């Protein structure tokens, strides 16, 4: 992790769509009067969904909506790494580099990212892809893995990962989850135990 | 004593109230606990871990600042494990703290330095790179070297809790945590300088003081501030003749340990624009003169015309000087004396013009009405006290005047005197709140009193106080908030028009018409020069400001740091300043000038030294002798007055940084005003705030 800063270029303003406004009001209503600030994370998250990333005007907008000082919203937005303070690609690859994935070849996936996309944080010219190394995403049984937007892609190799990125970029349909023969976290190549009565 | 909690600290048994923290109990028992994040007047954060102590039966060392005492606790602050814990914490704190003490302004008065020496180990085992943090912009007063920050969050809590401007925060996390303001805007507070004192390391230091002096080479004089009428207790640090900085002193009943920015950063104004020799106007221009020449000219002008002489006392002058001026005017047989250069319609009884509740008393009030006053600008430290009371809860506040941000919630119920009349008639919602309150407070500002109908407003406010429970046998909730440090002393000493005497407005009129031929401006710099017509003007004061520009004779006097003198704050509390330096050049202490002048005029005043003057002064105002004491005052009594006009109340202080000649001479204050202007301009431009 490194120091996270606001992006140098920021849009002039931010406002929720009407749909998101009513959604946000629903979130705020979950908390007792005077505790509206508790809704900060869902609202920032929704702002990020709407804008693709979390621009500074969005932080301010959410703070104003919750009647809290701007700096308090900024503290939250900078604390959680899931808030992207800089723009990301249409397909945002979060690559797990923690020990189990690393042991299973995360470094190879990083090389693929560097080759196909560029350095961490870079966005491809077509705006389709960008990547970031993150800490454990909790799918160690299917290591190595990446999260792209809302989905996990697991059991990756350099080859199928490059293919995956290529397909995403070209808008081809892709399968989520394990990219080898597995469906979940069962042993590869069939069961090894509990095969029947013996 | 049954509700007390007994515990043992280092073998000493102490008994404290339940809810007390272990740290406070340890202090009670005389044990010293090192700390960084804990501060008596701020909420408990418990994040520096320096205050670890050992509690019997606890598995781990306990952060004493955050843990309340329990009965029969056995606390140890001197055991081996405590020593090891402190050394460990200190080693961690120093991992990322640069060893740049030789170039750090905090050096010599740094908590980290002192505690590393007292409680730290002798070496660090950290061999990797230290982190570096970009400095943050926090305005013209606070200089930041954020690499030194240890994240105690005292500044964050101060801004949020005391100053009421939640603009400082900690962004990022872990090693990357950084203290900053939102988008590095300068702090929009009149009390921002306090974060410098609070910062236990050299991360936030005083920008104007940067690299000018070391604490051990400064001569420290404990004195009283005069930038507003609060009478904050301060310490002036001098190097030679030059004031290097101003720091607050603790006084629980006045300023606690806070200080407004104007009081703190004014010192460069004490060194510039000074009048250091007498001047006499010759052929349109002011020319340096000797005291003898200046006095001779005055004697010539005043000869036989004593009764046609008028005197106006200014905002920063001391009790002794005002007393001497009044004595001189009495000798001249002139009734034209006024200490209210702003034209406030204030006079006796004493309860009519002081802050009766007292500043500490604000904490006992249960409702507040502000009439024509913006305490945030008129008395920032007092405003912080109101905020403190507000944070305790159940404190309805209403204001009459233009809506302003007071740093706490206040209902703006109207703009002018008609709202006051409505309240008095019980026609307003807030009158019910006032009526129901047991200890309501009413604060009347100078903005409401300097109007032509000021006495009517005063009368209405007093009537309102009498109607509610604001004035009872046990509670006096009627308050006048002054903005001038000199004013209460002036009113106490009777610097008011005598029989047939003219007030400030009358003096100006008479000066234009020739009824008054000589005007003595004693530190009075808020008078339009042109309004004095062709009168012969004698200016006695410390700074070359408006008064001096208009003057025909200038007699240089001492500033508040250069004399031992009594000032009476808005509560009516007499406090004594101490002499930090001698007046510059040929300037003299104020009372000496009047005494010397009286001799030249052949009207020698009956005191030859300060002690004799004070003896005479105490006869007029006996309570002046009780330094730092609050004496009983006569209850407020509504003056008879005509009807109030409907005009909205204007606030007396709008330009916070330029309210007096010393502030106007200060480059730092000019910088502050510029930053404020910029900030406000940006706000208007983008509409991002409020």
């Amino acid at each position: 992790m490194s120091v996270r800063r606001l992006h140098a270029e920021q849009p002039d303003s931010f406002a929720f769509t009407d749909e998101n406004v009513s959604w946000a009001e629903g979130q705020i209503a979950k908390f007792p009067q005077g505790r509206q600030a508790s809704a900060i994370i869902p609202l920032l998250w929704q702002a990020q969904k709407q804008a693709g990333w979390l621009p500074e005007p969005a932080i301010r907008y959410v703070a104003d909506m919750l009647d809290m000082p701007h700096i308090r919203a900024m503290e939250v937005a900078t604390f959680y790494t899931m808030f992207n303070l800089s723009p990301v690609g249409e397909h945002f690859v979060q690559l797990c580099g923690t020990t189990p994935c690393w042991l299973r070849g995360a470094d190879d996936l990083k090389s693929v990212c560097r080759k196909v996309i560029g350095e961490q944080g870079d966005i491809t010219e077509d705006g389709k892809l960008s990547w970031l190394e993150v800490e454990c995403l909790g799918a160690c049984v299917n290591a190595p893995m990446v999260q792209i937007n809302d989905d996990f892609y697991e059991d990756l190799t350099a080859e199928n990962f490059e293919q995956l990125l290529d397909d995403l970029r070209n808008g081809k349909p892709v399968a989520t989850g394990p990219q080898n023969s597995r469906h979940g976290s069962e042993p590869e190549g069939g069961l090894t135990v509990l095969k029947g009565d013996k | 004593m049954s509700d007390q909690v007994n515990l043992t600290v280092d073998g000493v048994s102490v008994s404290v109230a339940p809810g007390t923290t272990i740290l406070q109990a340890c202090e009670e028992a005389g044990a010293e606990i090192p700390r960084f994040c804990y501060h008596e007047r701020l909420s408990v954060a418990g994040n520096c871990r320096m205050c670890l102590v050992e509690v019997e039966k606890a598995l781990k060392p306990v952060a004493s600042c955050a843990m309340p005492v329990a009965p029969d606790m056995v606390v140890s602050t001197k055991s081996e494990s405590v020593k090891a814990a402190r050394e460990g914490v200190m080693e961690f704190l120093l991992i990322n703290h640069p060893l740049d003490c030789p170039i750090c302004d905090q050096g010599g008065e740094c908590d980290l330095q002192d505690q590393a020496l007292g409680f730290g180990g002798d070496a660090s085992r950290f061999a990797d790179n230290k982190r570096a943090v970009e400095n943050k912009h926090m305005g013209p007063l606070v200089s930041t070297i954020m690499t030194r920050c240890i994240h105690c969050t005292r500044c964050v809590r101060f801004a949020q809790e005391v100053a009421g401007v939640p603009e400082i925060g900690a962004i990022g996390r872990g090693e990357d945590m950084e203290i900053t303001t939102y988008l590095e805007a300068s702090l929009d507070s009149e009390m921002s300088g306090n974060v410098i004192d609070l910062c236990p390391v050299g991360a936030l230091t005083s920008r104007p003081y940067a690299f000018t002096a070391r604490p051990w080479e400064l001569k420290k004089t404990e004195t009283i501030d005069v930038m507003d009428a609060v009478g904050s207790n301060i310490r002036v640090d001098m190097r030679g003749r030059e004031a290097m900085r101003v720091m607050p002193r603790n006084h629980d009943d006045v300023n606690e340990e806070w200080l407004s920015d104007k009081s703190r950063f004014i010192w460069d104004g004490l060194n510039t624009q000074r009048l250091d020799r007498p001047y006499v106007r010759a052929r349109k221009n002011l020319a340096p003169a000797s005291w003898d020449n200046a006095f001779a000219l005055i004697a010539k002008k005043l000869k036989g015309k004593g009764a046609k002489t008028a005197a106006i006392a200014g905002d920063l002058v001391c009790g002794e000087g005002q007393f001497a001026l009044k004595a001189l005017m009495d000798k001249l047989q002139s009734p034209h004396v006024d200490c209210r250069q702003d034209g406030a319609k204030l006079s006796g009884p004493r309860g009519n013009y002081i802050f009766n509740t007292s500043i500490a008393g604000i904490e006992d009030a249960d409702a507040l009405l502000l009439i024509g006053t913006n305490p945030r600008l008129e008395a920032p430290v007092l405003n912080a006290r109101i905020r403190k009371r507000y944070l305790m809860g159940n404190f309805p506040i209403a204001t009459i005047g233009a809506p302003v941000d007071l740093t706490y919630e206040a209902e703006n119920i109207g703009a002018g005197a008609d709202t006051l009349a409505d309240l008095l008639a019980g026609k307003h919602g807030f009158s019910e709140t006032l009526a129901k309150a047991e200890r309501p407070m009413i604060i009347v500002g100078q903005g409401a009193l300097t109007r032509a109908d000021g006495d009517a407003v005063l009368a209405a406010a007093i009537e309102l106080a009498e109607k509610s429970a604001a004035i009872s046998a046990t509670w006096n909730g009627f308050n006048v908030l002054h903005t001038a440090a000199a004013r209460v002393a002036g009113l106490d000493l009777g610097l008011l028009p005598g029989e047939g005497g003219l007030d400030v407005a009358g003096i100006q009129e008479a000066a234009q018409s020739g009824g008054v031929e000589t005007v003595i401006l004693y530190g009075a710099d808020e008078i339009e020069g042109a309004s004095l017509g062709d009168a012969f003007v004698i200016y006695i004061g410390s700074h070359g400001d408006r008064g001096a520009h208009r003057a025909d004779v200038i007699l240089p006097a001492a500033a508040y740091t250069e004399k031992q003198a009594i000032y009476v704050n808005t509560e009516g509390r007499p406090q004594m300043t101490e002499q930090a330096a001698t007046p510059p050049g040929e300037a003299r202490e104020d009372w000496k000038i009047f005494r010397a002048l009286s001799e030249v005029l052949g009207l020698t005043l009956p005191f030859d030294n300060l002690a004799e003057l004070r003896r005479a002064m105490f006869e007029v105002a006996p309570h002046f002798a009780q330094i730092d004491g609050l004496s009983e005052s006569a209850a407020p009594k509504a003056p008879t007055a005509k009807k109030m006009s409907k005009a909205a109340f204007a606030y007396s202080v709008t330009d916070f940084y330029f309210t007096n000649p010393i502030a106007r001479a200060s480059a730092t204050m000019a910088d502050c005003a510029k930053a404020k202007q910029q900030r406000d301009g940006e706000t208007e431009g983008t509409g991002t705030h409020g």
Side-chain angles (χ1 to χ4, degrees):
Chain A
M1 221 176 79
S2 59
V3 180
R4 281 150 43 85
R5 291 265 186 261
L6 292 178
H7 192 55
E9 286 164 35
Q10 296 282 349
D12 289 336
S13 64
F14 175 90
F16 272 148
T17 57
D18 291 346
E19 200 179 321
N20 278 341
V21 168
S22 52
W23 179 89
E25 279 162 3
Q27 295 296 314
I28 296 169
K30 288 180 182 174
F31 300 99
Q33 191 59 35
R35 296 277 183 269
Q36 286 78 8
S38 301
I40 177 84
I41 289 182
L43 261 61
L44 285 176
W45 189 239
Q46 197 69 8
Q48 171 157 308
K49 272 196 174 160
Q50 184 180 317
W53 58 294
L54 196 60
E56 183 271 325
I59 298 173
R60 220 181 324 128
Y61 176 84
V62 168
D64 287 340
M65 195 165 190
L66 298 174
D67 204 17
M68 59 197 281
H70 297 159
I71 185 75
R72 296 282 164 270
M74 176 78 106
E75 288 177 333
V76 175
T78 55
F79 185 92
Y80 294 102
T81 49
M82 67 181 188
F83 293 123
N84 295 314
L85 302 178
S86 306
V88 294
E90 194 181 307
H91 305 282
F92 175 49
V93 179
Q94 299 181 69
L95 188 151
C96 175
T98 308
T99 317
C101 283
W102 172 65
L103 287 169
R104 297 275 294 154
D107 280 350
D108 295 341
L109 304 187
K110 274 195 224 170
S111 309
V112 171
C113 284
R114 288 213 178 84
K115 191 175 109 192
V116 178
I117 305 172
E119 284 306 314
Q120 278 197 62
D122 290 355
I123 306 173
T124 52
E125 266 175 35
D126 55 9
K128 295 275 185 192
L129 295 169
S130 71
W131 74 285
L132 192 70
E133 181 182 337
V134 298
E135 300 304 325
C136 183
L137 290 167
C140 313
V141 285
N142 295 73
M145 59 80 67
V146 299
Q147 179 183 346
I148 301 177
N149 295 348
D150 292 336
D151 295 310
F152 277 14
Y153 298 84
E154 302 154 318
D155 292 323
L156 296 166
T157 61
E159 294 73 38
N160 64 19
F161 182 46
E162 190 168 349
Q163 183 62 43
L164 175 70
L165 292 180
D166 215 42
D167 289 348
L168 284 169
R169 180 178 243 170
N170 295 323
K172 288 190 193 157
V174 294
T176 60
Q179 301 294 307
N180 57 5
S181 59
R182 294 208 280 178
H183 296 288
S185 58
E186 78 279 11
E188 202 176 347
L191 296 179
T192 55
V193 291
L194 301 176
K195 287 180 172 173
D197 300 330
K198 260 193 180 174
Chain B
M1 293 294 279
S2 58
D3 55 349
Q4 295 287 92
V5 176
N6 295 303
L7 69 160
T8 315
V9 178
D10 294 337
V12 182
S13 39
V14 281
S15 169
V16 295
T20 310
T21 61
I22 297 178
L23 189 146
Q24 287 166 323
C26 289
E27 284 189 334
E28 194 96 338
E32 191 194 355
I33 309 281
R35 84 285 304 265
F36 293 111
C37 70
Y38 176 79
H39 192 274
E40 293 84 2
R41 301 193 197 278
L42 302 175
S43 63
V44 173
N47 55 13
C48 77
R49 314 311 287 180
M50 196 62 207
C51 64
L52 293 176
V53 295
E54 195 183 346
V55 177
E56 212 173 88
K57 292 189 189 127
L59 296 171
K60 299 187 284 184
V62 168
S64 61
C65 71
M67 174 75 98
V69 291
D72 304 322
M73 248 181 186
V74 178
V75 179
S76 170
T77 70
K78 296 194 174 91
S79 68
E80 274 306 306
S81 83
V82 172
K83 184 169 178 285
R86 285 174 182 165
E87 282 176 9
V89 168
M90 184 56 80
E91 196 176 341
F92 271 120
L93 285 172
L94 291 175
I95 276 183
N96 273 323
H97 191 83
L99 295 179
D100 61 354
C101 303
I103 56 152
C104 175
D105 250 347
Q106 194 86 351
E109 49 185 3
C110 174
D111 286 354
L112 190 65
Q113 213 176 27
D114 296 347
Q115 291 182 33
L117 180 72
F119 303 100
D122 53 358
S124 170
R125 286 167 286 179
F126 183 74
D128 296 281
N129 288 332
K130 290 182 180 235
R131 73 171 198 160
V133 183
E134 289 158 30
N135 294 340
K136 306 287 185 288
H137 176 77
M138 281 200 195
L141 299 177
V142 183
S143 169
T144 66
I145 299 96
M146 296 318 280
T147 303
R148 295 177 188 147
C149 177
I150 59 166
H151 307 137
C152 69
T153 68
R154 276 186 186 178
C155 53
V156 179
R157 284 173 283 147
F158 172 82
Q160 167 104 25
E161 294 160 17
V162 180
V165 285
E167 291 174 6
I168 310 183
I171 61 163
R173 61 161 150 170
E175 190 195 33
D176 301 314
M177 180 168 159
E178 296 179 356
I179 300 288
T180 183
T181 52
Y182 191 78
L183 304 184
E184 299 194 29
S186 56
L187 270 179
D188 189 21
S189 171
E190 293 70 37
M191 301 188 49
S192 63
N194 292 298
V195 298
I196 297 164
D197 291 344
L198 287 171
C199 186
V201 297
L204 306 179
T205 54
S206 169
R207 191 181 282 262
Y209 170 73
F211 311 126
T212 53
R214 282 299 196 187
W216 55 83
E217 56 182 357
L218 299 172
K219 190 183 116 225
K220 300 162 178 83
T221 310
E222 301 196 335
T223 180
I224 304 298
D225 172 62
V226 301
M227 289 303 123
D228 51 37
V230 171
S232 299
N233 286 214
I234 55 167
R235 193 187 85 197
V236 179
D237 290 3
M238 309 285 294
R239 191 172 56 192
R241 256 224 85 255
E242 207 181 349
M244 301 307 289
R245 63 171 177 180
V246 175
M247 309 275 278
R249 278 189 296 138
N250 188 60
H251 190 312
D252 283 343
D253 292 336
V254 180
N255 56 319
E256 300 197 290
E257 61 192 78
W258 314 127
L259 196 57
S260 89
D261 285 349
K262 189 161 48 178
S263 309
R264 182 190 296 266
F265 293 105
I266 195 71
W267 75 79
D268 64 331
L270 286 169
N271 301 333
T272 47
Q273 289 286 331
R274 290 306 301 269
L275 300 171
D276 55 1
R277 58 192 308 174
Y279 287 86
V280 167
R281 197 173 289 277
R283 288 190 221 95
K284 295 216 161 176
N285 290 324
L286 283 166
S290 69
W291 278 101
D292 288 342
N293 288 348
F295 278 162
L297 180 64
I298 296 171
K300 203 172 102 190
K301 285 277 176 189
L302 287 187
K303 190 152 196 190
K305 287 182 178 164
K308 285 198 153 191
T309 305
I312 302 171
D315 291 345
L316 306 180
V317 296
C318 56
E320 283 82 350
Q322 294 191 80
F323 178 75
L325 171 64
K326 170 83 169 129
L328 179 66
M329 294 304 285
D330 286 348
K331 288 262 184 190
L332 285 168
Q333 292 177 330
S334 163
H336 312 309
V337 187
D338 204 339
C339 66
R340 306 160 302 180
Q341 64 166 331
D342 52 7
K345 304 286 182 293
L346 285 172
S347 55
R350 195 163 189 252
N352 276 16
Y353 62 79
I354 64 170
F355 201 91
N356 291 296
T357 307
S358 83
I359 295 172
I362 294 172
E363 291 177 32
D364 299 324
D366 58 0
L368 172 63
L369 174 65
L370 298 169
I371 303 172
T373 178
N374 176 3
R376 181 174 175 182
L377 298 187
E378 291 167 25
V381 174
L382 187 141
N383 197 51
R385 193 70 83 129
I386 299 177
R387 180 172 161 78
K388 186 179 176 189
R389 172 66 193 84
Y390 161 78
L391 289 177
M392 293 177 196
N394 290 328
F395 194 49
I397 304 168
T399 65
I400 304 180
V404 281
D405 178 9
L406 291 168
T407 71
Y408 39 81
E409 257 174 67
E411 187 194 354
N412 185 257
I413 59 169
D418 42 345
T419 313
L420 188 55
D422 282 355
L423 272 179
L424 202 52
K427 278 195 280 186
H428 197 282
F430 198 75
S431 15
E432 208 175 305
T433 315
L434 271 184
K436 264 195 275 176
E438 284 169 29
R439 293 178 305 279
M441 269 182 84
I442 294 173
I443 302 180
V444 188
Q446 300 302 306
L449 299 169
T450 50
R451 316 173 354 145
D453 62 346
D455 43 357
V457 176
L458 183 71
I462 292 175
E463 265 173 57
L464 186 62
E466 282 166 347
K467 245 183 94 181
S468 59
I471 297 173
S472 70
T474 51
W475 178 254
N476 190 339
F478 177 77
N479 301 289
V480 172
L481 179 59
H482 286 271
T483 53
R487 196 71 81 246
V488 175
L491 293 165
D492 279 351
L493 293 169
L495 270 83
L496 295 164
E499 211 161 304
L502 300 165
D503 63 3
V504 166
I507 291 169
Q508 292 176 38
E509 252 168 57
Q512 284 169 27
S513 67
V516 162
E517 290 182 12
T518 306
V519 179
I520 300 173
L521 294 181
Y522 174 33
D525 283 290
E526 315 304 322
I527 305 281
E528 268 311 315
S531 72
L532 295 175
D534 293 329
F536 180 74
V537 176
I538 303 164
Y539 180 78
I540 299 160
S542 56
H543 282 70
D545 202 64
R546 288 173 202 160
H549 288 170
R550 171 61 185 82
D552 296 296
V553 176
I554 295 175
L555 303 177
Y560 68 106
T561 50
E562 295 154 1
K563 55 192 170 192
Q564 195 210 46
I566 292 173
Y567 284 88
V568 185
N569 80 351
T570 191
E571 305 169 281
R573 181 193 300 275
Q575 301 188 100
M576 181 100 71
T577 62
E578 290 297 333
Q579 193 175 32
T582 50
E586 294 177 34
R588 292 291 177 268
E589 282 178 50
D590 312 13
W591 74 271
K592 286 183 183 165
I593 297 172
F594 293 116
R595 170 64 180 74
L597 180 60
S598 71
E599 200 169 316
V600 176
L601 297 175
L603 303 165
T604 311
L605 292 173
F607 36 79
D608 295 333
N609 56 46
L610 204 50
E612 283 178 28
L613 181 149
R614 289 214 176 111
R615 212 168 297 142
M617 185 166 73
F618 293 160
E619 265 166 44
V620 178
H623 54 276
F624 276 35
Q626 298 168 39
I627 294 298
D628 199 27
L630 286 181
S631 43
E632 284 286 314
S633 304
K637 193 166 157 280
T640 48
K642 293 191 204 82
K643 285 197 73 166
M644 292 184 283
S645 81
K646 285 209 169 155
F649 295 130
Y651 296 122
S652 58
V653 176
T654 45
D655 241 349
F656 174 70
Y657 299 104
F658 292 129
T659 51
N660 64 52
I662 306 182
R664 286 190 285 265
S666 159
T668 311
M669 289 298 111
D671 286 347
C672 290
K674 212 164 116 193
K676 170 89 182 147
Q677 211 174 19
Q678 242 167 24
R679 202 191 144 91
D680 290 352
E682 271 170 27
T683 310
E684 272 161 38
T686 60
T688 56
H689 297 268

